[in-house]
Amino acid sequence: MAEVLENLKSLVKKAESKMVLLVADGLGGIPHPDFGYRTELEAAQTPHLDELAKKSALGLMTPVNYGITPGSGPGHIGLFGYNPEELTIGRGVLEALGVGFHLQAGDVAARANFATRDERGIIVDRRAGRISTEECARLVEKISQEVKEIEGVEIILRPGMEHRFVLILRGEGLGEKVKDTDPQKEGFPPYEPQALDAASEKTSRVLKLFLEKANQIIKEEPKANAILLRGFSQSPHLEKFSERYGVKPLAIAIYPMYKGIARLFGFDTPEVSGDFQDEVKLLRDKWFDYDFFFLHYKDTDKAGEDGDFKKKVDRIEYLDQFIPQILALNPDVLVITGDHSTPTLLHSHSWHPSPVLLYSKYAGSSTGLRFTERECAHGYLGQFPARALMSLMLANALRLGKFGA
Amino acid sequence: MAEVLENLKSLVKKAESKMVLLVADGLGGIPHPDFGYRTELEAAQTPHLDELAKKSALGLMTPVNYGITPGSGPGHIGLFGYNPEELTIGRGVLEALGVGFHLQAGDVAARANFATRDERGIIVDRRAGRISTEECARLVEKISQEVKEIEGVEIILRPGMEHRFVLILRGEGLGEKVKDTDPQKEGFPPYEPQALDAASEKTSRVLKLFLEKANQIIKEEPKANAILLRGFSQSPHLEKFSERYGVKPLAIAIYPMYKGIARLFGFDTPEVSGDFQDEVKLLRDKWFDYDFFFLHYKDTDKAGEDGDFKKKVDRIEYLDQFIPQILALNPDVLVITGDHSTPTLLHSHSWHPSPVLLYSKYAGSSTGLRFTERECAHGYLGQFPARALMSLMLANALRLGKFGA
């Protein structure tokens, strides 16, 4: 994929301009045969987005690379202007962020499943019959009471949905390069923890002891009598967003995972609950304290993953209603886009580029009557990699100096 | 040029989906002043392609890089998803493939001309007056009878069109790095064979001896009394297409060179003769035995190189008739494109991007009423490098897993 300017940071200059990046998760779609071969954006009534589109530059944004379907991690890494082909957020880290856990540097996190094993130790159900969330919380509490520390390493468990939980190891000298113990299929025993480099041997040792103790605690449970671990990872080392771009950034998101991802990049991530209305209220409240606002809207992705066309249309129309309130704040740059597409026809994330709308005094020529994939396909911004979006936002905010003499 | 995802192979997953890549050689054109400033695709009556375009995603595909005119080698290397700026198929190899020769690993091939030299050994005609194809075959046979082996290296000659033939050396310890003996202009003697690395010294030695013997055999010929050699090359080392993409690929092409190129990548390349009708019949016959079909149609390039606008239009219209038969097989993904453009106005390959049509359930928004360069210029697929086409085909065939957590 094409790269942004290598030393972009050297061109960044101070300004008073304010930028808003509104990410409607999974926004993009593809034509659905059951709905007149329209996409969700095309079927939705979006008077405010239409009016805005007529005054904006439109385009299509490839999240990672041609044909590549991103998880939420890579999708947002690109939007923040980093290279998703080089910077990775591990599964364990994402899951820890997803339950609202505040990771510290050096913490090793893993995704954990309660599972069912037979008397020979073979995993017969990787999800322990999908025990209830309450059951999971009970078991996590039981283990936490008895296992708090091993070899000076703090053992932290956080329950998730159903059979899922998160394991965090906090201590000195922990590497993250440990193989998954989850065989990812039934009919096999869990793998023994195994370090892939010298720096991770302590991690592996602590894990072995943890699993011995924890398995002993749950061995009489009717379903959840085993633990599977995968995605061992630490927070990636990365340059703070504020340092790279010379801004004071705020992340407004209800779902913990997106707050967590933004926190990795050094965004302030205040608590906000309710729905998008509450997010917009917080945007208003914080308007004078920051100059870069990441505003995350989840509903479009949920409807997309549910394969619910009408629901996704409804959620787009709901979002549309808030556009005037955001514009009333007078942002110098407003971008509306997605982190990836989630077409209801596929009921999952996809490789399709995200429609992007760039509104600023200096955006360039408008070419479309509506904010849809089809209109974006021939937009002024063309098709570009997501990692270039920040360069465009900064430029439009008059925050980039000239390159070369 | 932008690169595809580096470790694409790690995302490839098994599926039952079938993909067809229909390559109309030299398909793209440019507006011709003598034909109303239309391209050949615009002037052609293509009811089936038009109907398909309305339901497909369109775009323009750059074969190698901006402004770069590719030979058939680079054109196809890109289409198969490899990097034509890094992977080379040498002239000798291409010529050997072009006469239907089955190269083995280690064979060194070269393009050869019969030529005319004067009594001082100066080349006065690089093409020996364009002797007839029959004359060439006679001389090749004469030499082959007398020169079969030198230093344990098998000497193989295969006649081509007019003054052209192919020389293949088959033996142990042969390198390909030998300088051309063809001075590529008249008024000069041929160069002596010269190895450019130690591994190629045996090759050079054998060539010297071959030329001594062969020149002796033809020295009394009225026109073809000299031999010029160029493009010494061996088959490139490359990862098999089937291994890279997890497919079972079939190449259907009448012209030996394209069968040969596909064979280098490990495609099965059955014999097929006649015309495109016979290719489509073979596609039908083999439909259940493979899951990736490369279908090559030559006529558009021939007409383009002849500078014959009406002929190229006619050949496009002929191709159009077969679209329903291909669609009747129900491919999950059908791509129609070219390996490069061959505008009749230029009567040669050109740098212009190839129009591309992608038809699948998940292709994305359709934007055009016809399959023409102009419609493709504002298509949903945008403009992208040919080497990314395979990523898109695999994605549309649901054969790529998600990237990142």
Side-chain angles (χ1 to χ4, degrees):
Chain A
M1 195 88 258
E3 290 303 332
V4 301
L5 192 79
E6 192 171 331
N7 203 5
L8 185 74
K9 192 172 162 181
S10 66
L11 300 181
V12 167
K13 53 186 193 179
K14 284 206 166 306
E16 298 298 307
S17 46
K18 290 191 189 287
M19 295 166 276
V20 176
L21 171 59
L22 168 50
V23 177
D25 208 299
L27 177 65
I30 61 180
H32 200 304
D34 301 343
F35 294 93
Y37 285 96
R38 290 172 303 171
T39 68
E40 301 87 356
L41 272 169
E42 289 176 320
Q45 306 276 353
T46 54
H48 299 116
L49 284 168
D50 291 353
E51 198 186 320
L52 189 59
K54 291 191 186 94
K55 303 183 287 190
S56 301
L58 304 178
L60 285 174
M61 226 173 54
T62 302
V64 176
N65 208 323
Y66 303 101
I68 303 305
T69 297
S72 298
H76 281 81
I77 289 171
L79 286 176
F80 292 154
Y82 297 69
N83 183 346
E85 293 177 86
E86 287 180 4
L87 179 63
T88 308
I89 302 177
R91 162 60 58 190
V93 166
L94 269 176
E95 300 267 357
L97 297 175
V99 296
F101 187 80
H102 284 240
L103 287 161
Q104 294 177 10
D107 286 356
V108 178
R111 153 70 183 265
N113 275 19
F114 282 114
T116 315
R117 71 178 169 211
D118 67 14
E119 56 284 347
R120 297 169 299 155
I122 305 289
I123 298 298
V124 296
D125 186 338
R126 281 186 63 248
R127 299 178 183 85
R130 291 191 182 273
I131 53 170
S132 70
T133 302
E134 293 74 25
E135 253 305 274
C136 179
R138 179 185 73 79
L139 293 161
V140 161
E141 182 59 24
K142 193 172 175 193
I143 298 171
S144 297
Q145 285 303 323
E146 302 198 33
V147 188
K148 294 184 193 294
E149 184 238 300
I150 294 173
E151 263 194 51
V153 174
E154 191 183 346
I155 307 296
I156 306 166
L157 280 71
R158 288 287 182 269
M161 306 284 290
E162 296 177 324
H163 54 283
R164 306 171 184 83
F165 66 101
V166 185
L167 170 69
I168 300 107
L169 308 185
R170 176 170 289 172
E172 298 291 322
L174 295 172
E176 65 176 3
K177 292 208 186 326
V178 178
K179 282 187 72 172
D180 295 351
T181 71
D182 187 343
Q184 299 252 42
K185 46 190 189 278
E186 277 125 17
F188 291 82
Y191 302 127
E192 278 298 299
Q194 186 187 330
L196 294 169
D197 65 11
S200 308
E201 276 166 19
K202 177 171 176 181
T203 313
S204 182
R205 230 170 29 238
V206 168
L207 284 169
K208 280 201 183 84
L209 288 165
F210 165 75
L211 285 166
E212 278 176 26
K213 293 172 187 275
N215 282 330
Q216 183 66 21
I217 292 163
I218 61 176
K219 77 176 182 188
E220 299 302 326
E221 291 290 330
K223 288 203 198 144
N225 63 353
I227 288 169
L228 301 175
L229 300 167
R230 60 185 169 99
F232 292 99
S233 43
Q234 293 169 309
S235 296
H237 292 119
L238 47 81
E239 183 179 28
K240 285 182 132 183
F241 191 91
S242 55
E243 279 177 35
R244 183 176 279 211
Y245 304 122
V247 295
K248 195 172 176 220
L250 181 74
I252 301 176
I254 291 170
Y255 280 72
M257 182 183 293
Y258 307 96
K259 273 214 295 286
I261 291 172
R263 200 163 50 243
L264 287 179
F265 288 88
F267 281 68
D268 280 354
T269 59
E271 267 306 304
V272 57
S273 56
D275 85 353
F276 195 65
Q277 191 170 297
D278 301 281
E279 294 192 41
V280 175
K281 183 178 182 308
L282 187 62
L283 177 70
R284 261 205 307 278
D285 290 347
K286 300 287 187 181
W287 188 250
F288 296 106
D289 302 330
Y290 297 87
D291 51 19
F292 188 95
F293 302 87
F294 162 54
L295 198 52
H296 180 265
Y297 179 66
K298 181 66 174 171
D299 300 4
T300 31
D301 183 60
K302 285 182 102 263
E305 295 222 2
D306 290 342
D308 193 337
F309 189 95
K310 285 182 176 173
K311 178 81 182 184
K312 191 174 175 186
V313 167
D314 170 80
R315 296 289 84 203
I316 290 168
E317 293 178 347
Y318 182 69
L319 177 66
D320 184 72
Q321 294 175 48
F322 293 97
I323 301 304
Q325 289 182 52
I326 297 171
L327 288 173
L329 293 166
N330 256 325
D332 295 277
V333 181
L334 169 60
V335 166
I336 305 173
T337 189
D339 52 341
H340 52 74
S341 295
T342 306
T344 53
L345 186 63
L346 278 165
H347 47 82
S348 71
H349 297 191
S350 77
W351 61 91
H352 300 90
S354 299
V356 55
L357 176 155
L358 172 69
Y359 173 72
S360 94
K361 200 166 162 193
Y362 311 111
S365 299
S366 59
T367 55
L369 301 173
R370 300 202 61 209
F371 181 41
T372 65
E373 297 84 352
R374 186 172 276 119
E375 293 288 271
C376 288
H378 61 81
Y380 176 81
L381 301 177
Q383 297 217 17
F384 60 96
R387 70 195 75 163
L389 181 63
M390 277 305 302
S391 302
L392 287 173
M393 289 188 78
L394 290 167
N396 274 271
L398 303 184
R399 286 173 172 260
L400 287 182
K402 194 165 69 175
F403 175 81
Chain B
M1 194 91 261
E3 287 307 327
V4 302
L5 192 80
E6 189 170 333
N7 203 4
L8 185 75
K9 192 172 164 180
S10 67
L11 300 181
V12 168
K13 55 185 193 180
K14 283 208 168 303
E16 299 297 307
S17 45
K18 290 193 189 285
M19 297 167 276
V20 177
L21 171 58
L22 167 52
V23 177
D25 208 299
L27 178 66
I30 59 182
H32 200 306
D34 301 343
F35 294 92
Y37 286 96
R38 291 173 302 172
T39 68
E40 300 87 356
L41 272 169
E42 289 177 320
Q45 306 276 351
T46 54
H48 300 116
L49 284 168
D50 291 352
E51 197 185 321
L52 189 59
K54 291 191 187 93
K55 303 184 288 193
S56 301
L58 304 179
L60 284 174
M61 228 173 53
T62 302
V64 177
N65 210 322
Y66 303 101
I68 302 305
T69 297
S72 297
H76 283 81
I77 287 170
L79 288 176
F80 292 153
Y82 297 69
N83 184 345
E85 295 178 80
E86 290 183 2
L87 178 64
T88 309
I89 303 178
R91 163 60 56 190
V93 166
L94 269 175
E95 299 268 357
L97 296 175
V99 297
F101 187 79
H102 284 240
L103 287 161
Q104 294 178 10
D107 287 355
V108 178
R111 153 70 181 268
N113 275 17
F114 283 113
T116 315
R117 70 177 170 212
D118 67 15
E119 57 285 348
R120 297 169 298 154
I122 305 287
I123 299 297
V124 296
D125 185 339
R126 281 186 63 249
R127 299 179 183 84
R130 290 191 181 274
I131 54 170
S132 70
T133 302
E134 293 73 25
E135 254 304 275
C136 178
R138 178 185 73 80
L139 292 162
V140 161
E141 182 59 23
K142 193 173 177 193
I143 298 171
S144 296
Q145 285 303 321
E146 303 196 34
V147 187
K148 295 185 191 298
E149 184 238 297
I150 295 173
E151 264 195 51
V153 173
E154 191 183 347
I155 308 295
I156 306 166
L157 279 72
R158 288 286 183 270
M161 306 284 291
E162 296 178 324
H163 54 284
R164 306 171 183 84
F165 66 101
V166 185
L167 171 68
I168 300 108
L169 307 185
R170 176 171 289 172
E172 299 292 320
L174 295 173
E176 63 176 4
K177 293 207 186 325
V178 178
K179 281 188 72 172
D180 295 349
T181 70
D182 186 340
Q184 299 252 41
K185 45 189 188 279
E186 278 124 16
F188 291 83
Y191 302 126
E192 279 299 298
Q194 185 188 330
L196 295 168
D197 65 11
S200 308
E201 276 164 21
K202 179 171 176 181
T203 313
S204 183
R205 228 168 33 238
V206 167
L207 284 169
K208 278 201 186 80
L209 287 166
F210 165 76
L211 285 167
E212 277 175 27
K213 293 170 187 281
N215 283 330
Q216 184 66 22
I217 293 163
I218 60 176
K219 75 175 182 187
E220 301 302 329
E221 291 290 332
K223 288 201 200 147
N225 63 353
I227 288 168
L228 302 175
L229 300 167
R230 60 187 170 97
F232 293 98
S233 43
Q234 292 167 309
S235 296
H237 292 117
L238 48 81
E239 182 179 28
K240 284 181 132 182
F241 190 92
S242 56
E243 281 177 34
R244 183 177 279 210
Y245 304 123
V247 297
K248 194 171 176 222
L250 182 74
I252 300 176
I254 290 169
Y255 280 73
M257 182 183 292
Y258 307 97
K259 273 216 290 289
I261 291 172
R263 201 164 49 243
L264 286 180
F265 289 88
F267 281 70
D268 280 355
T269 58
E271 269 305 305
V272 57
S273 54
D275 84 352
F276 195 65
Q277 188 170 300
D278 301 279
E279 293 191 42
V280 175
K281 184 180 182 309
L282 187 62
L283 177 71
R284 262 206 304 279
D285 291 346
K286 299 288 187 182
W287 188 250
F288 296 106
D289 302 329
Y290 297 87
D291 51 18
F292 187 96
F293 302 87
F294 161 55
L295 198 52
H296 181 266
Y297 179 65
K298 180 65 174 169
D299 300 4
T300 30
D301 184 60
K302 283 180 104 267
E305 295 221 4
D306 291 343
D308 191 338
F309 189 94
K310 286 184 174 170
K311 179 79 182 185
K312 191 174 175 186
V313 167
D314 171 81
R315 296 289 82 203
I316 289 169
E317 294 179 347
Y318 183 69
L319 176 67
D320 184 72
Q321 295 176 47
F322 292 96
I323 300 305
Q325 290 181 51
I326 296 171
L327 289 172
L329 294 166
N330 257 325
D332 296 277
V333 181
L334 169 61
V335 165
I336 304 173
T337 189
D339 52 340
H340 53 74
S341 294
T342 306
T344 52
L345 185 63
L346 279 164
H347 46 83
S348 72
H349 296 191
S350 77
W351 60 93
H352 301 89
S354 299
V356 54
L357 176 155
L358 172 68
Y359 174 72
S360 96
K361 202 167 163 192
Y362 311 113
S365 297
S366 57
T367 54
L369 300 174
R370 299 204 61 211
F371 182 40
T372 64
E373 296 85 352
R374 187 171 278 119
E375 293 287 271
C376 288
H378 58 80
Y380 176 80
L381 301 177
Q383 297 216 16
F384 61 95
R387 69 195 76 162
L389 180 63
M390 276 307 300
S391 302
L392 288 173
M393 289 188 80
L394 290 168
N396 274 271
L398 304 184
R399 285 172 173 261
L400 287 181
K402 196 164 69 174
F403 175 81

